[in-house]
Amino acid sequence: MHALIPQPHSVEPAAGAFVLTAETSITVSPATPAVTAVAEHLAAHLRPATGFALPVRPAEVAAAGPVLALALDPADDALGAEGYALAVAPDSVRLSAHAPAGLFYGVQTLRQLLPPDIESAAPQAGPWPLPAGRIRDVPRFAWRGLMLDVARHFFPVADVQRVIDLAAAYKLNRLHLHLTDDQGWRIDIASWPELAHAGGQTAVGGGPGGTYTQADYAALVAYAAARHITVVPEIDLPGHTNAALAAYPELNADGRPRPPYTGIEVGFSSLAIDNELTYRFIDDVIGELAALTPGDYLHIGGDEALTTAKEDYIRFIERVAAIVRAHGKRMVGWEEIGQARLEPGAIAQHWASGHAAAAAAQGAQVILSPVSRVYLDMKYNAATPLGLAWAGHISVRAAYDWEPATQLAGVAAARLLGVEAALWSETLTTRADIEFMLFPRLPGVAEVAWSAAGRDWEAYRARLAAHGPRLAAMGVDFYRAEEIDWA
Ligand code: TNX
């Protein structure tokens, strides 16, 4: 029980092990769809490598053989919405939680307790021991996110599903999709079809681009939800909008289309703040997206509107906030939104621009994405072939060894909603590129978001080393950072 990431709240190892065999079954109590889905998710993870049937059945249906029991425990409300308790003994495994999400996170811990080969897609020899002991675990932060930029380069649905699987394995619960930017518009909006038709065809460097149909997007949302991840869609406004301004001439103050943009400069574009059409456009886009998005959140960007006067920016954000509210969502924005008057429930995402304190002072909750820690598009070091370096290099240690409560002067710890890693894609074009930049740094960020304060780099390094074979078995193309003594 010594190589878990994120580190659980409490771990008490005991002697012996429970060994998975062809006779093992998984039981659920109560046998509701949500609990059964978690059990089937566990079984689906264990079947390929073990070759065992691992049937899932209601606990009250008697059967012979050892049991891995998943149960809701309504009395244990200290576990909250996402915590779990795990008791492994030589003759039984009991995983309990107050809610299905907790069972799902307990399943991720179970996976990590098994030998690394369990992650293999092909049958392996085994054996499959789960070390005995007890774990009680609850997350530190409610928001444990990963942002993926699908605008600078487009990534097909299957790639995003892969990212969702990997994020879920480390107990993340938010996938923020940066759907639009100067270089591309990636979601079909039925009322403004040229956004996807024209705006979807460009990408950084002149690549082919791409867009999600509304059905694609809905499928991603459902795939994420099945892994207890809420999709947070971002339409970046009023800057980072060249793709829209190129697709629709009438969105420009002068009525003339902007040329498509495939470079990587930021901050040059802006919607026309005093054009009423701008707000009809935003209402249509946010309305369609809100209808497709069951989660509570809608991210409106708001960063780097460098060609928009401050007063205009403030007026704009306040109008957009009302539109988001009218469509029943909570507004998330990059921390620049702290300059505007924020409505209750607003969430500001800190990166580097220094406005988070102003947002927090108004009662907003804050997500931490400090650029020097969690901008995982930054190179690991000077030799990293991919990535940018404007925020410096981010080693595995730098991404892990920091404390949210003291990261940001002027923001009280009580205002912190959580932590989100960001993967911008100016230099990334393939699934392998994504994996190389996320791993092995993302597990460290996940631990910062999930585990109690008090980082111990030496202990973490050793745990992460043990994840090398596990990541390899998952087929993750991770960077074998020199900081880690890979097993
Ligand atoms: C800053 S952070 C940006 C993005 C870039 C990123 C590259 C933020 C809110 N804006 O537009 O893609 O840096 O690292």
Side-chain angles (χ1 to χ4, degrees):
M1 293 199 157
H2 58 281
L4 297 168
I5 300 175
Q7 178 65 34
H9 191 262
S10 75
V11 178
E12 291 172 38
F18 176 95
V19 182
L20 287 183
T21 68
E23 278 69 53
T24 306
S25 60
I26 300 174
T27 65
V28 289
S29 168
T32 58
V35 175
T36 304
V38 176
E40 288 293 354
H41 177 90
L42 172 62
H45 268 295
L46 304 183
R47 284 171 187 144
T50 63
F52 302 152
L54 299 164
V56 173
R57 61 183 168 82
E60 54 283 5
V61 175
V67 165
L68 214 154
L70 271 55
L72 289 184
D73 184 350
D76 198 349
D77 41 16
L79 292 176
E82 298 190 308
Y84 64 93
L86 179 63
V88 180
D91 57 350
S92 69
V93 175
R94 181 181 156 87
L95 171 61
S96 64
H98 191 61
L103 292 177
F104 183 82
Y105 297 124
V107 161
Q108 306 317 314
T109 296
L110 274 176
R111 288 171 63 189
Q112 292 190 12
L113 290 172
L114 287 160
D117 276 357
I118 196 68
E119 299 297 341
S120 174
Q124 304 293 312
W128 306 107
L130 278 161
R134 291 177 171 276
I135 294 176
R136 260 186 91 82
D137 201 7
V138 286
R140 178 177 183 189
F141 288 113
W143 188 291
R144 304 179 304 278
L146 169 62
M147 189 217 74
L148 180 64
D149 173 9
V150 295
R152 271 52 176 272
H153 285 104
F154 178 73
F155 298 96
V157 168
D159 290 356
V160 181
Q161 289 173 332
R162 166 73 163 177
V163 168
I164 290 168
D165 282 331
L166 295 173
Y170 289 96
K171 302 186 174 75
L172 299 184
N173 66 356
R174 303 282 183 266
L175 178 70
H176 166 182
L177 286 177
H178 184 77
L179 289 168
T180 68
D181 212 300
D182 292 318
Q183 299 89 346
W185 185 284
R186 307 297 179 207
I187 176 81
D188 184 37
I189 300 295
S191 54
W192 294 74
E194 287 307 311
L195 293 171
H197 288 165
Q201 284 178 16
T202 46
V204 165
T211 43
Y212 304 118
T213 64
Q214 295 199 354
D216 289 339
Y217 176 80
L220 279 177
V221 167
Y223 191 90
R227 287 148 186 83
H228 294 274
I229 290 179
T230 300
V231 170
V232 181
E234 178 186 352
I235 302 293
D236 203 348
L237 307 165
H240 292 275
T241 43
N242 191 76
L245 297 169
Y248 282 99
E250 59 269 42
L251 288 176
N252 297 285
D254 60 11
R256 290 204 213 108
R258 297 297 177 260
Y261 183 69
T262 60
I264 65 166
E265 293 304 314
V266 294
F268 61 88
S269 58
S270 181
L271 290 167
I273 305 298
D274 290 311
N275 192 346
E276 278 310 303
L277 186 65
T278 294
Y279 301 95
R280 245 205 291 144
F281 166 75
I282 293 171
D283 189 55
D284 289 341
V285 169
I286 287 180
E288 288 192 36
L289 200 51
L292 289 168
T293 303
D296 290 339
Y297 314 100
L298 213 142
H299 200 305
I300 56 101
D303 58 313
E304 299 175 319
L306 304 181
T307 59
T308 313
K310 184 175 173 183
E311 297 69 31
D312 290 351
Y313 176 83
I314 290 170
R315 264 191 305 128
F316 176 85
I317 295 295
E318 291 174 1
R319 278 192 76 167
V320 172
I323 294 172
V324 173
R325 170 169 33 81
H327 290 288
K329 298 298 177 190
R330 273 182 83 176
M331 184 177 86
V332 189
W334 296 105
E335 65 186 304
E336 284 94 325
I337 65 168
Q339 299 169 98
R341 192 160 29 81
L342 296 177
E343 300 187 3
I347 298 169
Q349 185 168 9
H350 163 67
W351 58 291
S353 71
H355 297 289
Q362 303 185 59
Q365 289 185 294
V366 173
I367 301 165
L368 294 178
S369 298
V371 296
S372 61
R373 300 291 183 176
V374 305
Y375 264 38
L376 301 186
D377 60 314
M378 294 300 126
K379 293 176 182 290
Y380 291 89
N381 52 52
T384 309
L386 302 166
L388 302 174
W390 67 265
H393 297 147
I394 301 182
S395 63
V396 176
R397 180 172 188 166
Y400 172 75
D401 202 357
W402 61 285
E403 169 45 42
T406 51
Q407 177 65 27
L408 200 52
V411 175
R415 299 251 62 82
L416 297 180
L417 181 58
V419 173
E420 184 171 296
L423 192 67
W424 303 96
S425 64
E426 285 92 335
T427 67
L428 313 178
T429 56
T430 65
R431 179 191 298 206
D433 291 351
I434 292 175
E435 292 181 1
F436 185 83
M437 297 308 272
L438 290 183
F439 290 92
R441 292 181 292 193
L442 187 65
V445 181
E447 179 153 314
V448 172
W450 177 282
S451 304
R455 307 271 83 81
D456 178 341
W457 166 245
E458 287 303 325
Y460 177 72
R461 277 177 85 225
R463 281 185 286 129
L464 183 56
H467 279 240
R470 199 168 290 283
L471 290 168
M474 290 181 193
V476 175
D477 182 19
F478 66 99
Y479 171 53
R480 295 186 169 267
E482 295 75 11
E483 303 160 83
I484 308 300
D485 301 322
W486 295 106

